[in-house]
Amino acid sequence: MRFKTPHSGKRARTRQSLEHLTALVKCQQSQVASLSRRQGQLREESEALRECLEASGALAPVRYLASLHRRRFAEVVKRHPGPWPGSLDTVVQIRELALATVAGAGAASVAPLAAASRALRGGVGSMLSEFP
């Protein structure tokens, strides 16, 4: 015969709590798996739709990618607000900041930066001879 101790009620509640938590975790795992499957389906559908729109000429791939980039960047700025000094092309127009940018990104970044746009070429183009 087992005797009840003052701790036996506490153990039973702890066991019930653990069983409840285990059931919740299993339910959440199922929900995550379902969401993952649905996300895969939606990705496949959006890729097929994009292919159709591009093939029909209704969607220019470069404009789509630029729009996607702007939307993602805006979301990052929204999540990480702060004092943005300006765009990269504004920053590299100031020689000291352009040098700091190149120092941080590495000398190999100068040519790709200069080739990226006319505005960037104006800022780092003069450095092409300094950082071949």
Side-chain angles (χ1 to χ4, degrees):
M1 179 172 185
R2 283 189 113 162
F3 295 101
K4 287 192 172 188
T5 65
H7 299 292
S8 62
K10 187 176 181 180
R11 285 188 195 131
R13 283 190 306 275
T14 300
R15 186 175 55 251
Q16 288 174 340
S17 293
L18 286 174
E19 288 170 358
H20 179 69
L21 286 174
T22 300
L24 286 175
V25 167
K26 286 180 181 180
C27 180
Q28 287 180 342
Q29 287 173 333
S30 174
Q31 290 173 341
V32 167
S34 176
L35 288 171
S36 180
R37 282 190 302 276
R38 184 63 181 138
Q39 187 271 337
Q41 292 168 344
L42 290 171
R43 176 179 293 276
E44 183 180 21
E45 290 172 11
S46 70
E47 288 172 358
L49 180 58
R50 180 179 166 201
E51 287 173 6
C52 290
L53 289 170
E54 286 177 1
S56 73
L59 178 67
V62 172
R63 288 184 63 196
Y64 168 78
L65 292 173
S67 177
L68 186 60
H69 173 75
R70 280 191 300 274
R71 293 172 65 91
R72 288 177 177 168
F73 187 79
E75 186 60 33
V76 169
V77 170
K78 193 185 315 178
R79 277 188 275 131
H80 305 284
W84 293 89
S87 62
L88 181 59
D89 60 329
T90 302
V91 169
V92 297
Q93 298 304 318
I94 303 167
R95 183 159 177 76
E96 293 78 18
L97 294 177
L99 287 170
T101 301
V102 170
S109 68
V110 175
L113 277 173
S117 74
R118 278 181 257 148
L120 292 178
R121 176 176 281 290
V124 296
S126 64
M127 296 181 198
L128 285 170
S129 60
E130 298 174 46
F131 297 97

